[in-house]
Amino acid sequence: AAVAQHAGFERLITFDMGGTSTDVAWHEGTPERTWEAQVDGLRLRVPMLEIDTIAAGGGSICRFDGQRLRVGPGSAGAVPGPACYRAGGPATVTDCHVVLGRLDPDLLPSVFGADRRQSIDPAASRRAFERIAAGMSAATGTSMSIEAIAEGCLRIAVARMAGAVRKISVEQGRSLEDVTLVAFG
């Protein structure tokens, strides 16, 4: 918020995509606060910042449940992490980007693998999505490319993130005119 305000933007939606979740919040000069929230079905009455958190981040697990593609709420976390981290992790949102060629192994630090000196492993990402494709084919009799599956998983994650932005803005009657989206994470 301070960086955006320094650049002259006052009405903000903050968007923080991390490994496990995405947090969005409305900011118009000062942080929005609330005295009541529900967390995991429990009603809390304490002062807190009004931040909407959804289970869609880079480590959110992509899977086929026998009927449809799912993204989250489970997360691969830092260990084992996404399949591309070389630690035996599942297909994740991060792996979607690897399969689609949006994450270049040469531009990322070589901090992966058992010795923590290797780059990400695009082949591991592809194998993770090949397993999803095989499960989909067995259950439905229809085959899809791993790129189409990765793109589908990203659409699911993006739709959930867009829903969170709508929830803290237009669903509360706020106009998006002159609002700046500040993405970080």
Side-chain angles (χ1 to χ4, degrees), residues 14-30:
T14 62
F15 182 96
D16 177 13
M17 181 180 166
T20 301
S21 63
T22 298
D23 301 322
V24 296
W26 183 268
H27 191 283
E28 197 166 353
T30 59

Side-chain angles (χ1 to χ4, degrees), residues 96-112:
C96 292
H97 290 292
V98 173
V99 165
L100 295 171
R102 297 175 182 167
L103 283 177
D104 185 343
D106 297 332
L107 299 178
L108 296 172
S110 295
V111 295
F112 304 99

Side-chain angles (χ1 to χ4, degrees), residues 27-102:
H27 191 283
E28 197 166 353
T30 59
E32 296 287 315
R33 301 185 194 288
T34 185
W35 286 89
E36 189 175 306
Q38 273 201 321
V39 177
D40 229 11
L42 299 173
R43 181 177 233 150
L44 300 177
R45 290 183 158 254
V46 294
M48 65 184 78
L49 294 177
E50 191 168 348
I51 299 172
D52 191 37
T53 300
I54 58 163
S60 293
I61 297 171
C62 301
R63 67 192 194 293
F64 179 70
D65 70 2
Q67 296 181 337
R68 61 186 173 172
L69 284 174
R70 300 275 204 168
V71 178
S75 175
V79 178
C84 66
Y85 282 15
R86 299 180 180 267
T92 66
V93 169
T94 296
D95 292 299
C96 292
H97 290 292
V98 173
V99 165
L100 295 171
R102 297 175 182 167

Side-chain angles (χ1 to χ4, degrees), residues 100-167:
L100 295 171
R102 297 175 182 167
L103 283 177
D104 185 343
D106 297 332
L107 299 178
L108 296 172
S110 295
V111 295
F112 304 99
D115 63 358
R116 296 185 187 264
R117 293 182 181 201
Q118 296 176 297
S119 63
I120 61 169
D121 183 3
S125 295
R126 295 185 71 78
R127 285 191 302 273
F129 278 94
E130 285 167 357
R131 287 189 293 274
I132 294 173
M136 289 177 70
S137 179
T140 66
T142 305
S143 64
M144 286 180 68
S145 71
I146 63 170
E147 292 82 6
I149 294 169
E151 188 64 46
C153 289
L154 284 179
R155 281 191 199 128
I156 293 167
V158 168
R160 294 183 64 214
M161 292 173 194
V165 170
R166 276 191 303 277
K167 181 178 175 183

